[in-house]
Structures are given as C-alpha cells and as structure tokens.
Amino acid sequence: MSKKSTTTGKTAKKITTGGVAYAETADAITITIGGRQLANLRRIAAAMNSVGWCDSDNTALTVLAGFVVGGDLYFLGQPTKKYHSIVLDGVGTIADNIISAIDTGYDDGTPEDRERKAALSAAFAKAGLL
C-alpha cells in the first residue's frame, strides 16, 4: 500500500477473510484465527502429536508460529530472498511444508530421516490432511 497510516492507537485497517481477521494500528498488526482455519491448525497439531518421534506438545499456536508464520516472517527481513506465503485453508500445503521442513533429528535424506517423515506423512494422511 502506498498510503501511510497516521493514526495512533486506533485501528487503521481491518480485513476479514474466512476465519482470519487482520487489524493494523500504528503500533502493531494483530491476526485473529478462528473457524475452519483454527480447526485445521488443531488437526495438524493433533496429527503431529500422534507420531511417536514428534514432540507431543504441539498445539494450533505452535504449528502456526513454527511452520506457518515463523518461516514466512523470516523472509520479510530478507529482501534478497523470495517471499513465500501459505494460505491457512491449504492444509495439504501446510502439511507438505511441515514434512519438508521438520527437523527429524537426522540428516536430510538419510534412511532414518525418510522413515520419520514417512510416519508423519502417514499421520497427516490418516487425519485427512493430505
């Protein structure tokens, strides 16, 4: 957007798309997630918790922070890198990205790494996420 907001402490702009609401003030951007999008994040967390080698403390918030927003927000500070966003409705995309990005505790491409990622993929498929 080319127009700069000059309001302070008041909501400058609000956008709602599906179960996600965005609000921007002079000091912060707030994202509120509900509805189907929140349910999808919870389904992803539950599937991850069902896999023995994954930590069992995954929540909608940790999935959002660690795999959806965390990686993408990093790129906002990297002008030479291509920014990539993930749509919360695309649970298959999020699940695929988690499988690709997750640290299994083994080097990428090793038999152990592939085995752990296959187990996670199977859990996502069983939960109807892939």
Side-chain angles (χ1 to χ4, degrees):
M1 295 187 182
S2 59
K3 186 176 180 183
K4 185 178 178 183
S5 172
T6 58
T7 60
T8 37
K10 295 185 179 183
T11 300
K13 185 170 186 169
K14 288 184 181 180
I15 301 170
T16 301
T17 305
V20 182
Y22 307 88
E24 180 179 358
T25 66
D27 300 324
I29 294 175
T30 304
I31 302 171
T32 304
I33 300 170
R36 180 181 51 179
Q37 290 80 1
L38 177 58
N40 287 340
L41 290 169
R42 287 180 174 155
R43 288 174 54 212
I44 291 168
M48 292 176 74
N49 289 338
S50 75
V51 176
W53 67 267
C54 285
D55 292 334
S56 60
D57 60 352
N58 294 288
T59 66
L61 181 60
T62 62
V63 170
L64 179 70
F67 295 101
V68 180
V69 176
D72 285 349
L73 287 182
Y74 168 79
F75 289 110
L76 289 177
Q78 305 296 320
T80 59
K81 304 236 181 206
K82 183 178 178 184
Y83 176 72
H84 172 72
S85 67
I86 300 171
V87 178
L88 288 176
D89 283 334
V91 292
T93 300
I94 295 170
D96 282 338
N97 285 336
I98 290 171
I99 293 165
S100 296
I102 198 162
D103 180 359
T104 63
Y106 293 97
D107 290 335
D108 287 340
T110 61
E112 297 87 355
D113 177 69
R114 288 193 304 270
E115 183 178 312
R116 286 187 168 192
K117 288 180 178 177
L120 184 57
S121 180
F124 284 157
K126 182 177 178 181
L129 298 166
L130 291 176

